[in-house]
Amino acid sequence: ITPAMRAVVNELDLSVTNHQLKGSNFYGTSVAVENRIDIRMFFKNVKDDMYAIATYVDRDGTSQAIRYNSDVFVAYGANYKGIRLDMLKAADYGYVVTVTMYNADGTVHGTATDSVESYAARVFATSDEELKTVVQALTKYCKASYAYFVG
């Protein structure tokens, strides 16, 4: 990292906002950092014939909708299944994603809205100093990526 890039990172506004909206049958969100940033949103009482649709607006202002069939759901305990949303790049940190879980007949089972930034805001409100340190580094990385790639 160059001195100029380090200066940009050190001057970043690290404030975050919690945009989470929890609907019925929503359990919670986790975030993982691999080659991309994954948001995993979990719902209660999900059956094998259900599907989910994730919607968000990308950096070009285009509405995106991605369908997830039950064969890609991630199990979490006995009663929860979730969707691994791995379409986000680091610069997409603040993008708000809404997931709607549908029953086989097309009726809504549950819905929730969340973002990586919202997850960070919730972590910063806890007393877990170790996790706060990790999430602060993630926040710096993502906001620096946004500044570099998007401006």
Side-chain angles (χ1 to χ4, degrees), residues 4-148:
M5 292 168 75
R6 186 175 308 280
V8 168
V9 170
N10 290 334
E11 293 175 13
L12 289 172
D13 174 10
L14 296 181
S15 62
V16 292
T17 303
N18 184 357
H19 300 282
Q20 185 185 50
L21 299 172
K22 299 184 253 184
S24 63
N25 290 310
F26 179 65
Y27 176 69
T29 301
S30 69
V31 171
V33 180
E34 295 169 2
N35 62 337
R36 293 180 175 261
I37 297 174
D38 295 349
I39 300 178
R40 297 170 189 185
M41 297 174 70
F42 295 94
F43 292 82
K44 302 173 197 169
N45 306 313
V46 175
K47 302 198 177 19
D48 289 338
D49 60 352
M50 293 178 157
Y51 64 95
I53 296 180
T55 58
Y56 67 101
V57 177
D58 68 19
R59 71 176 59 132
D60 297 321
T62 304
S63 294
Q64 301 289 338
I66 303 170
R67 181 181 168 127
Y68 295 86
N69 292 322
S70 62
D71 60 329
V72 298
F73 290 173
V74 178
Y76 181 76
N79 295 322
Y80 309 104
K81 290 187 182 176
I83 292 52
R84 180 180 178 209
L85 307 168
D86 62 354
M87 72 288 201
L88 300 176
K89 297 178 177 96
D92 303 335
Y93 172 85
Y95 289 9
V96 176
V97 179
T98 298
V99 173
T100 304
M101 184 71 68
Y102 292 93
N103 295 303
D105 65 3
T107 58
V108 174
H109 176 72
T111 189
T113 299
D114 215 344
S115 69
V116 178
E117 178 184 19
S118 299
Y119 175 83
R122 293 190 302 277
V123 168
F124 292 152
T126 71
S127 60
D128 187 336
E129 295 304 321
E130 187 174 325
L131 185 56
K132 283 181 186 180
T133 300
V134 171
V135 172
Q136 184 176 35
L138 171 69
T139 300
K140 282 183 179 181
Y141 170 70
C142 292
K143 289 196 173 200
S145 294
Y146 184 86
Y148 180 79

